[in-house]
Amino acid sequence: MKELLVIAIGSALVNNVVLSQFLGICPFLGVSKKVETAAGMGAAVIFVITLASFVTSAIDKVLLIPLHMTYLQTIVFILVIACLVQFVEMFLKKTMQSLYQALGVYLPLITTNCAVLGVALTNATKEYSILTSTVNGFAVATGFTISIILLAGIREKLEYSDISPALKGSPIVLVTAGLMAIAFCGFSGII
């Protein structure tokens, strides 16, 4: 249990997928204009990464490793992730139309979000068990959600701030993301 807690805290805060590994930058920057939209994207990412971690780990342990077909990991993992994202997209389109429209093109981009594939491949590389992979996936997705909601909150405040015209828009967002990455480095002493 202690090992799972260490992995969870390490994945969510210390090795934050966006701010220290720089995976998943596209939705991080694109969907972080409003907190509500960022929270919706975070929830979708939590669902996809957690479920993808479970399914890909199970497929890896049950099929790929016993059949000596680990060279197919990347292809199989991408197919599993694509199917899960399609499921999330159909679910949101039917149940939460406003969130579906707010996420726009970024929802299908979860399929190509390298954070999702990165977690699945990291779980396989570190030879985590199915439970540990699932916990790691949930923690990574939670770290992604924390960082995207924080950036969205800061961006909402920045709209009403007096900023130099040279920094308005993307430059200030990138500076803010860089400062957040530096701030998250402070968590490195936890583990």
Side-chain angles (χ1 to χ4, degrees):
M1 188 64 162
K2 182 179 176 184
E3 178 188 344
L4 290 177
L5 185 62
V6 169
I7 288 172
I9 291 172
S11 296
L13 299 175
V14 179
N15 298 317
N16 186 285
V17 71
V18 177
L19 300 173
S20 69
Q21 297 177 12
F22 306 111
L23 298 174
I25 297 292
C26 181
F28 177 68
L29 296 175
V31 184
S32 61
K33 293 178 182 161
K34 295 188 179 209
V35 173
E36 295 82 21
T37 309
M41 175 59 93
V45 167
I46 286 174
F47 178 78
V48 169
I49 289 182
T50 304
L51 199 55
S53 295
F54 173 76
V55 174
T56 56
S57 181
I59 289 171
D60 195 41
K61 300 281 185 268
V62 174
L63 287 175
L64 299 179
I65 292 174
L67 297 175
H68 304 291
M69 296 172 52
T70 54
Y71 57 90
L72 292 175
Q73 279 178 334
T74 304
I75 294 169
V76 170
F77 292 176
I78 288 172
L79 291 173
V80 167
I81 292 165
C83 291
L84 290 173
V85 171
Q86 287 299 314
F87 174 73
V88 169
E89 189 173 7
M90 289 186 306
F91 176 78
L92 288 179
K93 191 173 185 179
K94 291 279 186 192
T95 60
M96 299 178 205
Q97 189 70 26
S98 60
L99 179 60
Y100 173 78
Q101 290 178 348
L103 293 175
V105 71
Y106 293 101
L107 185 59
L109 282 178
I110 294 175
T111 302
T112 59
N113 184 344
C114 50
V116 183
L117 181 60
V119 172
L121 291 174
T122 299
N123 291 337
T125 302
K126 292 187 176 183
E127 298 179 357
Y128 285 157
S129 68
I130 295 173
L131 174 65
T132 307
S133 295
T134 307
V135 169
N136 183 50
F138 178 77
V140 167
T142 302
F144 176 87
T145 303
I146 290 168
S147 58
I148 196 171
I149 290 174
L150 284 174
L151 182 63
I154 293 169
R155 285 181 77 172
E156 284 184 359
K157 297 290 183 187
L158 286 174
E159 284 185 29
Y160 303 107
S161 300
D162 187 28
I163 300 170
S164 168
L167 288 176
K168 283 201 182 273
S170 295
I172 195 67
V173 173
L174 293 173
V175 168
T176 303
L179 292 172
M180 286 177 60
I182 292 170
F184 269 67
C185 285
F187 291 119
S188 63
I190 291 177
I191 295 178

